[in-house]
Amino acid sequence: MKTLLTTLFVSFFSLSALSTHIMGGEIIAENNGGNNYNVLLTIYRDTVGIPTDVNQDFTVYDANGSSIMNFSISMDPNANHPIFGFQNGSLLPYFPYGVEIYFFSQTIALPGPGEYTIAWDKCCRNGAIQNLIDPLSNDMRLYTTVTVDASQTNSTPYFMVKPVMYLPVNTPWQYNPLPYDINGDSLSWSLGTPHQSSNTAQGSPIAGYTAPPSDPTNPISIDPITGTISWTASMLGNWVYTVICEEYRNGVKIGEIRRDMQFIVLPSGNLPRFMNFNKIPTIDGYYYWDIEPGQYSELRLMANDQDQNDIVTFEAFGEPFLLSNPLTYSQQATGVGNVIETTLSWTPSTSEIRENPYLVVLRLMDGSFMMDEALFIRVKKSSITMSTQEQ
């Protein structure tokens, strides 16, 4: 459990900027048929800050960077987030300090085939951010770029996994936002520079931004295959970062989304961890679970936390959970300390066979911190079905 020192640390860095409240966010655009797109802005709010505005303003730019449309969205306080399921204004669970989720959604009609950038900005950033020169002078610019294709439906990618805000200092740590594209387009992800508003569609990178400080043995980075962000934070504090996901079709870029967020590095703490994840077979350093269609298969993993007062919980994310014949997951207590047994189970049909493996993210939580692991699942004939369980 977090100590009094941790509580005071979080309170200090939050109260130092009461004029601000938004910790980050992202914009996506989903095709609703023809040129109609549902725009979804998700923002994450520090509960100590000022209340979230109930109306948000957007601008649409064409491929030449000209402003062609302005629109506003009013918050529906009773709506549930279409990806994460939380009602507007809900506290995100399993964090040591309050973070709320708000979202604004509306369908707009874009003029026709072509590339468009949907932009939003809000002043000002949290004054506690340490890797910006003068954060209170910087606003937050979020945008998404989408290509309207007359011959094929296209939506932007989206992040399947909720963001993580808190992690302990001097501790190797992992987090995966899991970008996903419903149209099956190729995705490329990277870490980028936060933007602020300017007279351009995308705004401008904030001058003087530096990457969050790292232990030189594990600098902050994102895996090009799984999208897992790895980091050993070397300093306490509040650090801003951006995840960029670019979408390609036939080798041509047709879209982009960005998640602008803050990490808060706390003084100390244990991370929940899988106890036998290394028993899963690997290929080139990545974990693979091979299963056969028409056969029930399960993968059992044990997890715990060194702090016996912490309660460990488990979630899983990925495309297989969206299928009509979905992968499922569960957890149960073992009766041994805070050790839990997690189970992934699936009886895939032949329609789930494909050449590219499914990527899922397995998340452990202990009420203060979270830890993600990436797992590839291959559904193919003559594979080896495996069940891994700590003895």
Side-chain angles (χ1 to χ4, degrees):
M1 302 294 289
K2 64 181 185 293
T3 64
L4 177 60
L5 176 61
T6 297
T7 304
L8 292 174
F9 175 86
V10 173
S11 299
F12 170 78
F13 274 89
S14 301
L15 291 169
S16 64
L18 286 175
S19 62
T20 62
H21 58 281
I22 297 176
M23 298 182 71
E26 63 229 39
I27 302 174
I28 66 171
E30 180 185 18
N31 184 263
N32 280 352
N35 301 338
N36 295 321
Y37 278 80
N38 183 59
V39 177
L40 174 67
L41 165 69
T42 303
I43 57 179
Y44 305 95
R45 173 186 178 266
D46 182 333
T47 55
V48 173
I50 63 176
T52 297
D53 297 330
V54 296
N55 297 298
Q56 303 294 335
D57 299 323
F58 299 79
T59 303
V60 180
Y61 298 84
D62 64 16
N64 297 319
S66 299
S67 172
I68 62 169
M69 183 190 309
N70 294 293
F71 64 96
S72 297
I73 304 178
S74 298
M75 182 195 304
D76 180 353
N78 299 314
N80 289 335
H81 195 281
I83 300 172
F84 305 133
F86 299 113
Q87 184 175 339
N88 237 328
S90 296
L91 280 172
L92 291 179
Y94 307 114
F95 286 123
Y97 175 76
V99 178
E100 292 174 334
I101 181 172
Y102 289 89
F103 60 95
F104 300 79
S105 179
Q106 180 173 296
T107 296
I108 64 171
L110 295 173
E115 180 185 282
Y116 301 94
T117 297
I118 304 167
W120 166 93
D121 54 66
K122 184 67 63 174
C123 185
C124 297
R125 289 183 180 267
N126 191 328
I129 295 172
Q130 294 174 257
N131 54 335
L132 297 177
I133 295 174
D134 185 12
L136 284 175
S137 69
N138 304 128
D139 61 17
M140 180 184 298
R141 167 62 67 94
L142 297 178
Y143 64 87
T144 188
T145 300
V146 62
T147 297
V148 178
D149 190 333
S151 61
Q152 186 175 354
T153 298
N154 179 51
S155 299
T156 64
Y158 66 91
F159 296 109
M160 302 188 79
V161 180
K162 303 178 291 293
V164 171
M165 286 75 166
Y166 299 95
L167 66 149
V169 71
N170 297 324
T171 306
W173 172 83
Q174 294 181 166
Y175 154 61
N176 192 322
L178 193 55
Y180 170 69
D181 186 72
I182 194 170
N183 306 121
D185 294 314
S186 299
L187 302 180
S188 174
W189 38 74
S190 60
L191 295 176
T193 300
H195 282 211
Q196 62 184 350
S197 60
S198 68
N199 58 358
T200 65
Q202 300 177 350
S204 59
I206 299 177
Y209 168 79
T210 57
S214 308
D215 185 304
T217 63
N218 186 28
I220 189 168
S221 62
I222 189 166
D223 189 283
I225 305 299
T226 64
T228 297
I229 296 172
S230 300
W231 187 29
T232 300
S234 60
M235 291 181 61
L236 305 177
N238 195 314
W239 314 95
V240 66
Y241 74 102
T242 298
V243 178
I244 302 169
C245 178
E246 298 174 299
E247 174 189 18
Y248 291 84
R249 182 176 293 173
N250 300 321
V252 178
K253 181 179 175 179
I254 62 170
E256 178 181 327
I257 59 170
R258 302 165 64 91
R259 174 177 279 176
D260 189 320
M261 284 301 303
Q262 294 171 38
F263 287 139
I264 298 179
V265 181
L266 301 181
S268 62
N270 296 307
L271 291 173
R273 297 182 183 276
F274 287 107
M275 302 166 64
N276 58 336
F277 207 81
N278 60 358
K279 300 293 182 65
I280 302 173
T282 61
I283 300 176
D284 297 327
Y286 299 102
Y287 294 96
Y288 280 82
W289 178 30
D290 289 349
I291 57 181
E292 293 185 19
Q295 177 174 314
Y296 173 79
S297 301
E298 64 179 28
L299 175 65
R300 297 182 181 180
L301 295 164
M302 313 297 285
N304 73 341
D305 191 291
Q306 290 184 0
D307 187 337
Q308 293 299 307
N309 293 315
D310 286 346
I311 298 173
V312 181
T313 54
F314 170 69
E315 282 186 291
F317 310 86
E319 181 185 355
F321 300 104
L322 305 180
L323 301 175
S324 58
N325 173 39
L327 173 71
T328 62
Y329 69 88
S330 63
Q331 73 171 64
Q332 61 182 8
T334 63
V336 180
N338 60 8
V339 176
I340 63 169
E341 180 184 62
T342 70
T343 303
L344 295 175
S345 57
W346 199 10
T347 307
S349 66
T350 54
S351 63
E352 274 84 57
I353 297 175
R354 69 182 195 186
E355 182 177 355
N356 293 327
Y358 298 93
L359 176 61
V360 299
V361 169
L362 311 182
R363 171 168 290 182
L364 295 173
M365 301 154 286
D366 68 3
S368 294
F369 304 119
M370 302 181 182
M371 185 71 166
D372 291 348
E373 294 284 358
L375 173 69
F376 287 107
I377 301 177
R378 295 190 297 187
V379 180
K380 61 180 184 177
K381 293 182 179 179
S382 302
S383 64
I384 300 175
T385 304
M386 180 193 65
S387 175
T388 300
Q389 185 172 3
E390 185 79 0
Q391 302 297 322

